[in-house]
Every structure is written in structure tokens, then in C-alpha cells.
Amino acid sequence: MNGFYKKASRRSYAFGAWARRLSESAPSIANPFGKSTAEDLKGLDTQTFLEVFEGVTQAQIHRTDLDSGLDMIAALSGQTQFLNSNGEARRALKENSIAVNKQKVQEDYILTAQDLIDGQYILLQRGKKNYFILHIVD
């Protein structure tokens, strides 16, 4: 067996072990890009959340910004650069393609501390496969 196949089989074994470990620790989100709910996400600890969404782009937001309430336009474009402009953020919200922690939201939605996953993360999503994580720092 050549080196390529050995590496590939090790990778698939490692992924299988990771998937088993994830399904045991968080069975309702074993497929994070599937039909998990906000309650499923909020029940995750930090390590599991970061393992599930490894490789997803992140931006840091100060807790004081969140405590006073952060509007969706600022969360999507102004402070995070998840979307390129305020106009693009408004269009996406009007198209109903934006979700916060897997729940669809409208333009008037305000992010608060109640949206936090394990006290420090918020998952933003545009469409089915475009994810972004807000990391809340003190």
C-alpha cells in the first residue's frame, strides 16, 4: 500500500473517531450543518462547540457592546465584516437568509446575552452553508 492510501485511511479513521465522540457527547448536533436547534447549540460546552465548528471564521465583540444590545446590521457588517456592507446585510435580512443560533431573524432583531452559547459565542448563518462565529470577550 502506498503512502497516499495510508494517510487517507488514517484521516478517515480519525474523522470516524471524532464523529463517534461527538455523537456521544452531543447527539442532537452530530451533523452541525443539519437540523440542530438553538436549544441544542446552547447546551454545548465551549470545547464541543469549537470542535463542531472548527475552521469557521470568527470575530471578537466586546461584552459591553452586547450588554447594551447589538443590532443585526452592526453584527453582520459593521463590527464583524461577516457581510461586506450594510446594504448587503439589509438585503440578506429581507431575504430571510440570516439565522442566529439556527433561528431565522429579521432586521429588527437585537443580539443580547440571552443569545450566547456557553456564555461566550453566537453562531451567525447566511443560507445553508455560510457560518460565522461571534466570540464575546470581556
Side-chain angles (χ1 to χ4, degrees):
M1 183 181 271
N2 68 25
F4 173 76
Y5 290 109
K6 286 181 184 178
K7 288 180 185 176
S9 65
R10 274 185 267 163
R11 274 191 225 122
S12 60
Y13 175 78
F15 178 76
W18 174 82
R20 275 192 301 282
R21 193 173 70 246
L22 176 62
S23 65
E24 291 167 1
S25 64
S28 58
I29 60 150
N31 179 4
F33 305 107
K35 297 187 181 201
S36 58
T37 64
E39 292 81 29
D40 296 336
L41 288 172
K42 288 183 181 180
L44 295 178
D45 62 356
T46 299
Q47 180 182 358
T48 305
F49 179 79
L50 292 176
E51 282 179 5
V52 169
F53 293 101
E54 181 181 356
V56 174
T57 307
Q58 296 186 20
Q60 293 186 345
I61 300 285
H62 291 282
R63 192 169 299 275
T64 54
D65 294 336
L66 191 66
D67 290 341
S68 60
L70 185 62
D71 71 290
M72 285 307 298
I73 302 295
L76 292 170
S77 64
Q79 294 191 2
T80 65
Q81 302 301 315
F82 177 41
L83 301 177
N84 293 328
S85 67
N86 290 349
E88 185 180 355
R90 282 189 187 90
R91 279 190 298 279
L93 288 162
K94 286 181 183 176
E95 294 168 355
N96 200 29
S97 66
I98 301 294
V100 173
N101 298 335
K102 297 290 198 170
Q103 290 185 327
K104 296 288 185 177
V105 296
Q106 300 299 316
E107 187 173 348
D108 60 347
Y109 189 81
I110 303 293
L111 292 174
T112 63
Q114 293 177 344
D115 295 311
L116 292 175
I117 298 168
D118 200 35
Q120 58 186 336
Y121 297 102
I122 296 175
L123 180 67
L124 300 177
Q125 180 180 359
R126 181 178 188 186
K128 289 185 178 183
K129 298 180 182 178
N130 197 0
Y131 289 85
F132 194 83
I133 296 173
L134 295 181
H135 184 198
I136 312 305
V137 294
D138 294 325

